[in-house]
């Protein structure tokens, strides 16, 4: 008999009309490879998206657009389970149970909340934004996922998930698989091209340093040519002293599937201009087919909705099983049918 494949789960928020290069490198690229070796679940985290205000029609459109980008980047919905979080009610239900097991102080230490709340102003931040990581823990635990491929910025949320799984298991008996973060070390964080001390993020004040998957190739090339570097002009990898250049070298190496050393070797002595020009070609060469395929897929929204509906059925089956066990273990009286 063949061993069942290990379970994997990951998701992104459909909170913009395009994913950015950080999402692509930090998440999608590894998802695509991992779906070969895993029983993979990928989802659109729309429940998470509404932790900050969203325009309803835009959220719906962005959910389809993000789905199309997943598929265009290589996620195969006939092999992986690709679904929308709000189409599986168990996510919100498990989150409630986990909320009751999370300490207020524990939740207060989550740095993503602190960053986002600081941007919005503490008073404007919602309680949903505060409990965001607990919903995320529920996402992972519902599917008994072993591997959770995410960027470095999500490490703390995965640690919280592990703590909550352990706490539930020791209090109510073995119920959840304790997941591992699956973070590709060096490549796990892509920085803003204009502000290379901050991660590339859709919540950045200016979008000049963000590469969007759905940008026109000309726009992408221009953003790369204008990327902030430094004044010494020497092509070498030094994350501390030359963060802008280090970020460009990282992006180059990953997308061109080679080592950072080999990129440095090729462009040493050539100055930043030549490196940027070649990088623009590599990035456009990677993203342009994804953009074109996304636009094609978006021509038939009904088909996208149908794929998501079918996949939600499978997701619901798995999630409901876990939720039933949880409800039973915590002592809820089951409805007689
Ligand atoms: P989101 O939508 O903010 O980010 C989606 C994924 O992209 C990665 N990422 C980056 N990687 C490298 N460099 C960057 N600059 C960069 N920016 C974003 C993130 O690490 C993430 O993997 N909370 C999650 C969504 C989520 C989730 C889950 C993930 C909800 N439930 C359960 C895994 C499992 C998030 O931040 O999405």
């Amino acid at each position: 008999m063949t061993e069942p494949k290990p379970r994997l789960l990951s998701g992104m928020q459909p909170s913009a009309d395009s994913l950015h290069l950080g999402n692509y490198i930090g998440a999608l690229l590894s998802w695509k490879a991992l779906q070969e070796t895993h029983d993979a679940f990928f989802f659109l985290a729309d429940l998470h998206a509404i932790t900050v205000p969203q325009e309803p029609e835009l959220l719906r459109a962005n959910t389809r657009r993000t789905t199309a980008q997943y598929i265009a980047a290589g996620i195969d919905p006939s092999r992986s389970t690709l679904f929308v979080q709000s189409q599986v009610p168990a996510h919100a239900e498990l989150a409630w149970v986990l909320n009751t097991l999370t300490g207020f102080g524990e939740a207060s230490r989550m740095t993503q909340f602190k960053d986002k709340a600081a941007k919005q102003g503490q008073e404007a931040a919602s309680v949903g934004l505060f409990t965001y990581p607990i919903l995320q823990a529920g996402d992972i635990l519902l599917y008994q996922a072993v591997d959770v491929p995410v960027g470095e910025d999500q490490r703390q949320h995965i640690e919280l998930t592990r703590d909550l799984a352990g706490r539930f298991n020791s209090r109510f008996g073995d119920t959840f698989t304790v997941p591992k973060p699956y973070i590709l070390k060096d490549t796990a964080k892509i920085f803003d091209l204009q502000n290379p001390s901050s991660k590339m993020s859709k919540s950045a004040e200016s979008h000049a340093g963000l590469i969007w998957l759905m940008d026109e190739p000309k726009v992408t090339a221009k953003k790369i040519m204008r990327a902030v570097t430094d004044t010494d002009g020497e092509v070498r990898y030094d994350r501390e002293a030359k963060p802008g250049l280090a970020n460009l070298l990282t992006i180059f190496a990953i997308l061109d599937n080679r080592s950072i050393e080999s990129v440095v070797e090729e462009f040493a002595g050539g100055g930043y201009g030549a490196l940027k020009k070649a990088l623009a070609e590599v990035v456009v060469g990677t993203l342009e087919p994804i953009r074109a395929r996304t636009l094609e897929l978006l021509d038939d929204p009904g088909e996208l909705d149908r794929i998501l509906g079918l996949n939600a059925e499978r997701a619901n089956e798995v999630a409901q099983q876990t939720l039933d066990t949880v409800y039973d273990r915590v002592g809820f009286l089951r409805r007689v049918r």
Side-chain angles (χ1 to χ4, degrees), residues 27-247:
L28 270 178
L29 258 185
S30 55
W31 293 8
K32 184 181 162 194
L34 289 165
Q35 71 181 344
E36 309 289 332
T37 49
H38 286 72
D39 177 15
F41 287 72
F42 298 118
F43 69 101
L44 290 302
D46 56 350
L47 299 178
H48 281 102
I50 62 163
T51 56
V52 297
Q54 302 287 338
E55 186 59 46
E57 277 317 315
L58 262 186
L59 177 62
R60 217 180 327 272
N62 288 341
T63 302
R64 285 201 190 98
R65 281 178 80 86
T66 309
T67 304
Q69 288 168 79
Y70 280 13
I71 297 173
I75 302 305
D76 175 358
S78 62
R79 171 187 311 213
S80 301
T81 306
L82 168 55
F83 67 98
V84 177
Q85 189 184 25
S86 64
Q87 295 182 7
V88 182
H91 288 256
E93 294 171 299
L94 180 58
W96 178 254
V97 176
L98 296 177
N99 270 322
T100 66
L101 294 178
T102 310
F104 194 83
E106 191 176 27
S108 307
R109 285 192 289 277
M110 296 292 126
T111 54
Q112 181 175 295
F113 170 73
K114 288 195 260 184
D115 292 349
K116 287 194 181 176
K119 272 190 190 142
Q120 292 190 13
Q122 195 77 30
E123 283 303 308
S126 70
V127 175
L129 189 62
F130 183 63
T131 58
Y132 175 119
I134 305 164
L135 177 62
Q136 179 164 352
D139 300 335
I140 298 166
L141 299 179
L142 271 179
Y143 298 89
Q144 310 287 0
V146 182
D147 291 316
V148 186
V150 284
E152 178 64 39
D153 60 322
Q154 296 298 305
R155 185 184 292 280
Q156 201 186 22
H157 293 171
I158 311 297
E159 288 305 327
L160 175 71
T161 306
R162 291 166 55 83
D163 290 346
L164 290 175
R167 196 170 304 159
F168 189 99
N169 288 348
S170 64
R171 192 148 149 204
F172 298 106
D174 251 359
T175 306
F176 295 126
T177 302
V178 181
K180 319 194 274 287
Y182 191 105
I183 296 174
L184 301 170
K185 231 357 203 162
D186 291 338
T187 65
K189 200 162 180 181
I190 300 301
F191 295 85
D192 189 295
L193 300 189
Q194 286 300 319
N195 180 13
S197 57
S198 298
K199 73 165 183 174
M200 189 175 284
S201 161
K202 54 196 155 213
S203 51
E205 260 165 42
S206 152
H207 287 178
L210 267 81
I211 303 284
W212 299 105
L213 266 59
M214 300 304 289
D215 266 347
E216 300 265 354
K218 265 196 297 208
V219 175
T220 303
K222 200 182 258 179
K223 285 182 177 170
I224 293 170
M225 295 310 290
R226 290 185 180 165
V228 166
T229 46
D230 52 74
T231 49
D232 85 5
E234 191 192 340
V235 177
R236 71 190 156 82
Y237 183 85
D238 185 336
R239 181 59 78 196
E240 296 295 307
K242 298 160 81 72
L245 189 70
N247 190 37

Side-chain angles (χ1 to χ4, degrees), residues 306-327:
R306 193 188 65 84
I307 292 172
L308 288 170
L310 280 176
N311 279 252
E313 259 175 57
R314 161 117 210 275
N316 264 301
E317 269 169 33
V318 176
Q320 194 58 46
Q321 233 178 15
T322 306
L323 187 75
D324 285 347
T325 309
V326 168
Y327 272 21

